Amino acid sequence: MTSCRSGKKASGKIKLLAHEVALKDSGALEDVTHSGSSSRWLSAPSADESEGYICVYRPMADAEVCFLLKYGVLPATQPYQAIIEGPSGRAYAEKYLRGKKKVDTHPTTVVEFAIPVSLRDHLFALQHKPEDGAMSMGLGAKAGNGLAIFNEHLQDGTASWRIVLVKRTAATKH
């Protein structure tokens, strides 16, 4: 599942990307779009945290998601590149897709990362800040600069990721 090309057209004129279609078809994401919606919504419940691991969330634009799909790591393209901890972190990340928070990167996807608590503690020590009732840790160069160690954990398999929310709208130019 490494393609970010357009997939099947569904729900009128809203086209999902190929990886989104594959996740929906496999049952990993459920179409939760309500009747009359101007966007297509796909969602999955949050994972249960296993002992020694915690879930963190990141809202991402298509370019960042496509990089993650292709290379299995996050690109060094965002100055802050926040990950937000726990259920409140997911709720905070979803605000970017639901229009409650704004950013110029136009997020379409929320990704859940299951990371070792020890990695979370390390990143927290580098940089953290409260965000609307959630705790964020910055991976980017203008924040904690923990991207390299985060990516090392993705590469060695001690951290994993999956897409938990997609908002796909009709094609528009940004």
Side-chain angles (χ1 to χ4, degrees):
M1 179 178 57
T2 60
S3 178
C4 278
R5 65 183 176 8
S6 290
K8 297 178 190 173
K9 196 180 245 190
S11 291
K13 298 179 181 176
I14 301 172
K15 213 175 201 184
L16 297 173
L17 298 182
H19 67 276
E20 296 163 349
V21 171
L23 289 168
K24 184 178 121 1
D25 290 350
S26 74
L29 288 174
E30 178 184 354
D31 192 327
V32 295
T33 307
H34 67 81
S35 178
S37 177
S38 61
S39 300
R40 185 99 183 263
W41 291 88
L42 305 177
S43 183
S46 295
D48 292 328
E49 294 176 352
S50 58
E51 190 170 335
Y53 280 80
I54 191 163
C55 291
V56 296
Y57 298 87
R58 175 156 176 72
M60 296 185 192
D62 288 343
E64 192 175 5
V65 172
C66 291
F67 189 95
L68 179 61
L69 285 164
K70 186 172 182 177
Y71 299 107
V73 296
L74 293 176
T77 55
Q78 309 300 317
Y80 295 100
Q81 210 155 14
I83 53 172
I84 311 103
E85 181 180 344
S88 59
R90 178 171 178 166
Y92 181 80
E94 288 186 6
K95 288 180 180 184
Y96 287 92
L97 277 64
R98 299 188 190 283
K100 305 285 185 195
K101 300 289 277 181
K102 302 275 188 216
V103 68
D104 63 3
T105 57
H106 309 289
T108 59
T109 307
V110 173
V111 176
E112 174 186 81
F113 296 90
I115 64 171
V117 171
S118 60
L119 174 58
R120 179 257 182 226
D121 292 346
H122 178 78
L123 296 171
F124 189 88
L126 292 174
Q127 190 270 340
H128 65 277
K129 69 177 185 171
E131 304 261 14
D132 291 350
M135 189 57 67
S136 78
M137 293 154 277
L139 301 175
K142 288 190 174 181
N145 210 23
L147 182 62
I149 190 164
F150 188 84
N151 280 341
E152 285 173 20
H153 281 77
L154 289 172
Q155 288 174 316
D156 71 16
T158 56
S160 61
W161 64 273
R162 69 189 185 107
I163 293 171
V164 294
L165 186 68
V166 173
K167 177 186 181 185
R168 184 63 50 207
T169 56
T172 59
K173 293 193 178 199
H174 296 292

